Amino acid sequence: MLHGEFASVLQAGTREDFRGEVVRFAQRLGFDTVSVISVVDLGINRLEIESIDNAPAGYADSISDTRAARRDPVMQHCRKQSVPIVWNQDTYTREGLGDLWEEQAHFGYCTGIAMALHLPQGRHFAMGVERDQPLPSDRGELTRIVADLQLFAVHALDAAMRVLTPGPAVGERTILTPREIEVLHWTMEGKTAWEVGAILGISERTAVLHINNAMHKLECGSKHQAVLKALRLGLIG
């Protein structure tokens, strides 16, 4: 299930290890810069924010208009949705933010792809890759790039929550039932809920219930994230 180029980020043990894996992935994908943001909502207007990037020197200081930054169409999209956004100059000019695009384009931020993952308990993860060249005009190639970014982001999320915003180890307080472990195992093998139900002799609805319970216990927002976390914790193999 895990491709080497995606799985290696799961082994990151430090912030620098994680940054190196993220930068290498972005460059293999054909992008010069990359940024990752991990956000944990602690309540009462308290946010724990950690970020990793390889932005050029001076880039952060140049984007001085915070009001415009808050209206950044890419940032606003990622705050509200988990669907990736493919952006370019038109994305900004349509919102009357051509000046903001011009500022960032000076540093090579001309086109890019960004996405976010929103998890339970007020946790959020966003990742974006950028470059100074146009994105591929071939729809099939662009779709592949977006799919690779999505798959890597799911892997990077687990490492980011562990390395950037460490908390109590999930494995120390999580007990999955034998059935939940079985369901995650077959999900790892690529089986649908209906197929898992047929294999285990339970209904599709019951299989979905076990998947959702495992996701909740592992504090994951999707079954794919739950499988990755269960693998890292040694709950399945």
Side-chain angles (χ1 to χ4, degrees), residues 132-170:
D132 60 2
Q133 298 298 314
L135 296 175
S137 58
D138 180 79
R139 183 170 294 274
E141 183 179 356
L142 183 58
T143 298
R144 178 191 59 76
I145 292 174
V146 172
D148 283 348
L149 177 63
Q150 288 179 290
L151 183 56
F152 182 83
V154 170
H155 290 70
L157 164 67
D158 183 74
M161 290 299 172
R162 173 168 46 83
V163 175
L164 302 183
T165 56
V170 173

Side-chain angles (χ1 to χ4, degrees), residues 38-180:
S38 172
V39 180
V40 179
D41 189 345
L42 302 175
I44 317 178
N45 297 320
R46 293 175 57 216
L47 296 176
E48 182 177 294
I49 303 174
E50 294 289 340
S51 63
I52 290 284
D53 62 61
N54 64 337
Y59 170 70
D61 294 337
S62 75
I63 306 300
S64 56
D65 188 344
T66 56
R67 287 178 298 177
R70 292 193 189 101
R71 292 167 50 218
D72 186 303
V74 177
M75 294 176 59
Q76 290 303 312
H77 175 95
C78 290
R79 284 183 59 188
K80 300 173 183 176
Q81 301 187 45
S82 294
V83 178
I85 177 172
V86 177
W87 61 268
N88 57 22
Q89 184 176 7
D90 290 343
T91 308
Y92 286 81
T93 56
R94 284 196 301 266
E95 301 296 326
L97 292 170
D99 291 346
L100 181 57
W101 182 88
E102 292 284 353
E103 285 186 68
Q104 64 185 39
H106 176 72
F107 292 90
Y109 290 75
C110 299
T111 61
I113 306 168
M115 62 169 294
L117 297 169
H118 304 288
L119 292 84
Q121 301 183 354
R123 295 177 300 157
H124 310 274
F125 175 82
M127 181 173 180
V129 290
E130 308 85 19
R131 67 189 193 186
D132 60 2
Q133 298 298 314
L135 296 175
S137 58
D138 180 79
R139 183 170 294 274
E141 183 179 356
L142 183 58
T143 298
R144 178 191 59 76
I145 292 174
V146 172
D148 283 348
L149 177 63
Q150 288 179 290
L151 183 56
F152 182 83
V154 170
H155 290 70
L157 164 67
D158 183 74
M161 290 299 172
R162 173 168 46 83
V163 175
L164 302 183
T165 56
V170 173
E172 296 176 357
R173 65 179 188 275
T174 299
I175 299 177
L176 298 184
T177 67
R179 186 63 90 187
E180 289 163 356

